[in-house]
Amino acid sequence: MTRTPEASAGAAVGALVFFELTSGFLQIGITPLLPELTAHLGIDAADASWIISVQLLAAAVCVPLLGRLGDLYGHRRVLRAALALIAVGSLVVALADSLPVLLAGRLLQGPIAALLPLEMALARDRLPVAGARRAIARLVGSLALGTLLGGVSTGLIHSATGSLRLTLLVPALLAAACVTVAFLAVPESSRRAGGRVDWPGVALLGAAVTALLAGVGGAKDGAWGSAAVIGPLLAGGLLLAGWAAVELRTAEPLVDLRAMAGRDVAPVYLAALPFGVFYFGSQAPNATFLAADPATTGYGFALSALAIALVSLPGHLAAVLGSFATAAVAARIGYRTTLLAAFAMVAAAFLQFALVHDAVWQFAAGSVLLGLGVGLSLGAMPTVIVEASDPTRTGVAAALYNNVKTLGGAVAGGAFAALLGSFVRPATGQPDEAGYRAVWLVGALCALLAVALVAATRRRTAGPAGPTATPAGPTATPAGLPAERVDSPGSEARHGL
């Protein structure tokens, strides 16, 4: 029996939803396991931050690269390749018996951040406008749901099996199932872009971020003025400057830095960098603090993976609620004011962590405030970016915001690892409590810097943002797709995603 276009579309959207549920599971599921991983691999809590930052390093390059490859060669083809890499990386992570092998697996998981952009491109290419918008909303919601399920499910599985390897094999199996589904239920996009890939931009960006991470990693023992730190940091800065020069002179750049020009928009893009620092960088330190044994370290609560997931759950729920409430809040006070308030909440949460963290309920309360601020930030930031940009460049603006945020997260993981490493007690091999206070104070300073940068932007008198300015959701990574993909001519006549 021949399937109707509506049935085919429903099956395809269902497949993409499954991919996003798995993506959310993979992104958050490893966080409660970080303390167990450090014990299994024989590394200290400071090194746990590298497990997060390495994946973000790969994501900083994968998002623009895979998006461009999808435009040129087909989004389904690139989606399949990305899922295959993620599945292999997840298996390597599950089987890893050393930190280098684990980090290699995390590098292979870098394309996780590129899944949603590729899926959005497929929806916009093959569905009518209204159907595409509904599909994208489902994808974003599925990603949010996946992040909620990831932490709790991982904790439950680990509690039931008592095995770190078996627990990590579950997301690996989910990723492998995604590869199979991608070959059975997802059709190819119907259009191709012209042009080429900016390979020099890819190479320079990857080298620059790697050098910056190597520099901050060299400061683990507190030797911030050593050649091992200053040399790579200078090299990273020079490479980043060279990359920017290449991008500005390239007709088809990997990342269109021209979108950052102008006093109205540049401070907002700059705010995305500290946003990425506190959003991504705090995940590993918070987990290792909760797992620390107070009998040995003098701080922490000796929580299991399940208990860490449950303590973090209210914060994740607050982030989802904050993101979904963004439109309603902004309708009353405006997106710019919403973003200022959100960053202020984040700063207050980190200050609370630094000053008051002697009971689990205090940490959970701070997590709710942090989650609410992060959720509102994630909901409002894309809209503020888009409204401050040229209306004809909304897709490029969203992509650039995502790249800057991810870059901040990549550097933050290494910087926080080095910061914790600077406070390690020789007797225990674990960071001193002052190290965690320093991390949280840096998070608060980053949030306050973001407040100052957003406040420095001038108010716009333009009307409400159109559909392309819709917030991307709790952990969405906007694709940077051309704006015409949303309302392209003839899109109403296409069926069967």
Side-chain angles (χ1 to χ4, degrees):
M1 182 175 65
T2 303
R3 300 178 71 183
T4 64
E6 291 76 10
S8 299
V13 172
L16 300 182
V17 164
F18 175 55
F19 300 161
E20 282 311 303
L21 286 169
T22 303
S23 173
F25 195 105
L26 286 166
Q27 289 184 48
I28 298 298
I30 197 169
T31 303
L33 298 175
L34 288 175
E36 186 80 12
L37 277 170
T38 60
H40 173 69
L41 300 174
I43 60 177
D44 57 40
D47 285 328
S49 294
W50 288 103
I51 299 173
I52 301 295
S53 62
V54 162
Q55 191 269 329
L56 293 170
L57 162 65
V61 179
C62 283
V63 171
L65 174 60
L66 296 184
R68 181 60 175 158
L69 288 173
D71 289 342
L72 293 174
Y73 303 112
H75 299 99
R76 181 186 66 176
R77 179 182 299 178
V78 177
L79 179 65
R80 288 172 172 175
L83 288 169
L85 286 173
I86 293 166
V88 172
S90 300
L91 183 61
V92 171
V93 168
L95 301 179
D97 283 322
S98 67
L99 182 60
V101 175
L102 178 66
L103 295 182
R106 292 290 288 171
L107 276 173
L108 290 173
Q109 289 181 323
I112 289 175
L115 294 183
L116 184 60
L118 292 168
E119 293 158 0
M120 289 169 62
L122 283 167
R124 287 169 169 172
D125 180 87
R126 299 299 297 269
L127 284 175
V129 174
R133 290 173 182 166
R134 287 194 298 270
I136 291 171
R138 292 173 191 167
L139 292 175
V140 172
S142 300
L143 179 58
L145 179 59
T147 60
L148 281 175
L149 296 175
V152 176
S153 299
T154 298
L156 287 172
I157 295 168
H158 185 265
S159 178
T161 64
S163 169
L164 180 64
R165 181 156 293 173
L166 286 177
T167 303
L168 289 171
L169 280 173
V170 171
L173 291 173
L174 287 173
C178 287
V179 177
T180 302
V181 172
F183 278 88
L184 296 176
V186 180
E188 185 57 277
S189 51
S190 61
R191 293 179 294 175
R192 299 288 186 276
R196 60 181 180 82
V197 177
D198 175 24
W199 290 112
V202 173
L204 284 171
L205 179 60
V209 179
T210 301
L212 291 172
L213 285 173
V216 296
K220 179 180 176 181
D221 297 324
W224 291 93
S226 67
V229 175
I230 295 176
L233 288 178
L234 286 175
L238 291 173
L239 286 168
L240 204 58
W243 170 74
V246 168
E247 296 301 279
L248 291 171
R249 295 180 181 180
T250 301
E252 298 175 281
L254 179 71
V255 178
D256 190 354
L257 296 180
R258 300 176 187 89
M260 289 185 70
R263 292 177 57 191
D264 287 337
V265 67
V268 189
Y269 280 113
L270 291 176
L273 190 67
F275 178 35
V277 170
F278 67 69
Y279 175 52
F280 292 111
S282 64
Q283 294 177 14
N286 286 359
T288 56
F289 180 88
L290 289 170
D293 186 354
T296 302
T297 62
Y299 61 83
F301 309 103
L303 298 185
S304 65
L306 177 58
I308 291 172
L310 293 176
V311 170
S312 304
L313 181 61
H316 290 307
L317 286 171
V320 174
L321 292 174
S323 180
F324 283 119
T326 302
V329 174
R332 290 181 174 271
I333 63 176
Y335 275 98
R336 181 175 174 275
T337 304
T338 299
L339 192 55
L340 290 171
F343 286 149
M345 288 183 205
V346 171
F350 278 118
L351 285 174
Q352 186 215 303
F353 288 153
L355 298 175
V356 183
H357 50 256
D358 297 326
V360 172
W361 72 265
Q362 294 170 345
F363 207 94
S367 296
V368 171
L369 184 60
L370 176 62
L372 184 59
V374 164
L376 289 168
S377 301
L378 286 166
M381 196 74 168
T383 300
V384 172
I385 289 280
V386 166
E387 290 185 348
S389 304
D390 188 328
T392 65
R393 304 173 70 85
T394 56
V396 172
L400 184 55
Y401 148 72
N402 181 73
N403 292 331
V404 174
K405 181 182 71 174
T406 304
L407 180 62
V411 174
F416 284 175
L419 190 58
L420 286 175
S422 301
F423 290 88
V424 168
R425 293 178 179 175
T428 63
Q430 297 298 320
D432 188 81
E433 186 175 1
Y436 287 97
R437 285 199 185 97
V439 165
W440 292 324
L441 288 174
V442 170
L445 288 174
C446 286
L448 292 174
L449 175 59
V451 169
L453 287 167
V454 174
T457 60
R458 291 181 295 188
R459 293 183 180 273
R460 307 272 293 190
T461 56
T468 55
T470 301
T475 53
T477 47
L481 301 169
E484 60 268 18
R485 283 194 181 276
V486 178
D487 300 300
S488 54
S491 63
E492 294 289 352
R494 287 193 296 271
H495 299 280
L497 170 61

